[in-house]
Amino acid sequence: MQILIQLSFSLVGGLLMSRLAKKLNLPAVTAYLVAGLLLGPYCLGALQLAPLGFSTAEAVANLDIISQVALGFIAFTIGNEFRLEQLRSMGRQAITVGVLQAVATTALVDAALILLHFINPALISVSSAITLGAIAAATAPAATLMVVRQYKADGPLTKLLLLVVAIDDAVGLVLFSASFGVAAALESGSISVLTVLVEPVVEIVLSLGLGAVAGWMLFWVEKFFHSRSKRLSISIGFVLLTVGLSMVEFEVGGVHCGFSLLLVCMMTGTIFCNICDFSEELMGRVDGWTAPLFVLFFVLSGAELNLKVLSNPVVLLIGAVYIVFRSLGKCLGAYGSCAMTGCSENITKHLGVTLLPQAGVALGMALTAQRLAEGSVVRNVVLFSVLVYELVGPALTKRALIAAGEIKTEGKTNARKKNAPPKPVRLSE
């Protein structure tokens, strides 16, 4: 009962908050996050009025499966952008920009935080600085996709953005695995080639392989059904399957093997959209089905934001440095790589800002980083940055897409009036 009421309040509360956000000219994503923050354990939840809010962080964590499923559908949708005709025209640019902006961001944040260590070693260790630099490369695909969807953004910048965000996950995974391996080696005194080089590559290869098989199997199974509703159900079933399989972990010859949920589901969507001739129509139906799921995802993400980090001056200082230099890294890295690959001036000027949102992927990396001696500092800094980026990032993405001319001015529509039956016509005598 309590879980159902909490989900109801999350969904309805997020949607009501979006009406206020519309009046303030803010994206709906920001409204959902604020609604979650209000329902979370540091606002309404603190009043212990359960089930009207989430009284503890554990109560929010118990619904993590919803967030995992939502991320799976988000990745599946982004995978749909990797169509062959699009890759032929923008593939080289997307890969170059995706890699270079991520590496530039990591290098800049590493340099800033290591310099902070030398100024005051008590603030942050070198291992924590290196780890945070790698986490800085991660971009949140969910917030970006939601802004693109809400405002029906379309154009060269939007197309390149979705490709870069998808590539960014694979690049961020490699950077984090290598950096975390180096950080662990600095603390233990011995470096592991398996951790730094082998395991991240194995995870990417396994994820892409599993996604490719799932995408082909989805296409094969879909051929047995002709009903749109049944094809929709099959698609949903396969995304749930890939989300579940991506959680499997095992060891082979001392090598830890696992999967990236985002990469698996992206690859599933990519393979399916390129071999299925009715994928566009089906993806449109999937988008309609997932709308309430995405609202819940962002409300729960807002409820997870920890306001306690705002009371720690050390975290605020490190977090401020992290946010400033990560933002510079994304903007300068995107600007330089776009100019290098011959992108238009419109894309070169605005792409960096759209890459600022950061959330789930970064939090997952921070959870792994807690194994370090100062892992709690890393986690709290990431929590603080996510709090800032999630509340500000979607609005900045919207402004950049408007400046690029890829979001048209919204018109007011009323579904009731639009779908109302026509008035009877009186025949003259």
Side-chain angles (χ1 to χ4, degrees), residues 193-205:
V193 177
L194 285 179
T195 304
V196 176
L197 297 177
V198 178
E199 290 184 357
V201 175
V202 168
E203 182 170 335
I204 290 174
V205 171

Side-chain angles (χ1 to χ4, degrees), residues 354-391:
T354 65
L355 297 173
L356 293 182
Q358 188 174 49
V361 178
L363 290 173
M365 292 176 177
L367 192 61
T368 302
Q370 282 192 293
R371 292 184 233 161
L372 296 174
E374 293 184 3
S376 60
V377 174
V378 173
R379 183 173 182 275
N380 287 334
V381 169
V382 173
L383 283 170
F384 172 59
S385 71
V386 166
L387 177 65
V388 174
Y389 280 125
E390 281 295 83
L391 295 177

Side-chain angles (χ1 to χ4, degrees), residues 153-158 344-351 354 396-408:
D154 189 32
L157 173 59
T158 302
S344 67
E345 184 181 351
N346 219 15
I347 293 176
T348 303
K349 284 171 60 179
H350 301 296
L351 180 66
T354 65
L396 293 177
T397 299
K398 176 191 172 185
R399 289 174 64 89
L401 292 173
I402 289 175
E406 298 194 6
I407 290 180
K408 296 178 181 178

Side-chain angles (χ1 to χ4, degrees), residues 134-389:
I135 294 174
T139 299
T144 303
L145 179 64
M146 286 295 284
V147 171
V148 169
R149 269 192 183 178
Q150 180 186 352
Y151 298 105
K152 297 179 175 60
D154 189 32
L157 173 59
T158 302
K159 289 181 171 63
L160 181 63
L161 168 62
L162 292 175
L163 293 176
V164 169
V165 165
I167 292 167
D168 190 79
D169 183 55
V171 178
L173 176 63
V174 173
L175 289 172
F176 176 75
S177 298
S179 298
F180 181 68
V182 171
L186 288 174
E187 292 190 350
S188 65
S190 62
I191 191 166
S192 170
V193 177
L194 285 179
T195 304
V196 176
L197 297 177
V198 178
E199 290 184 357
V201 175
V202 168
E203 182 170 335
I204 290 174
V205 171
L206 287 177
S207 299
L208 296 178
L210 176 59
V213 171
W216 183 85
M217 287 185 65
L218 172 58
F219 169 67
W220 182 76
V221 173
E222 291 275 7
K223 292 192 296 184
F224 291 99
F225 300 92
H226 303 288
S227 163
R228 290 181 176 180
S229 60
K230 289 178 180 177
R231 282 178 166 175
L232 172 63
S233 300
I234 290 293
S235 302
I236 292 168
F238 262 83
V239 175
L240 295 177
L241 175 64
T242 52
V243 170
L245 291 177
S246 68
M247 297 177 183
V248 174
E249 295 182 357
F250 55 95
E251 280 197 15
V252 177
V255 178
H256 177 266
C257 301
F259 302 91
S260 164
L261 182 152
L262 291 178
L263 284 181
V264 172
C265 295
M266 277 181 200
M267 193 61 175
T268 302
T270 299
I271 296 297
F272 180 67
C273 78
N274 280 290
I275 62 177
C276 178
D277 56 0
F278 55 84
S279 62
E280 291 239 31
E281 184 267 340
L282 187 57
M283 291 299 292
R285 295 177 67 81
V286 170
D287 289 349
W289 185 87
T290 54
L293 180 64
F294 290 168
V295 174
L296 285 175
F297 169 74
F298 285 104
V299 172
L300 292 174
S301 298
E304 284 181 327
L305 297 177
N306 189 345
L307 297 182
K308 283 185 178 179
V309 298
L310 300 178
S311 63
N312 188 333
V314 173
V315 170
L316 294 180
L317 174 60
I318 300 172
V321 173
Y322 174 89
I323 289 170
V324 169
F325 284 91
R326 179 182 180 271
S327 301
L328 282 174
K330 287 290 180 184
C331 293
L332 295 178
Y335 187 93
S337 55
C338 284
M340 186 189 305
T341 55
C343 293
S344 67
E345 184 181 351
N346 219 15
I347 293 176
T348 303
K349 284 171 60 179
H350 301 296
L351 180 66
V353 175
T354 65
L355 297 173
L356 293 182
Q358 188 174 49
V361 178
L363 290 173
M365 292 176 177
L367 192 61
T368 302
Q370 282 192 293
R371 292 184 233 161
L372 296 174
E374 293 184 3
S376 60
V377 174
V378 173
R379 183 173 182 275
N380 287 334
V381 169
V382 173
L383 283 170
F384 172 59
S385 71
V386 166
L387 177 65
V388 174
Y389 280 125

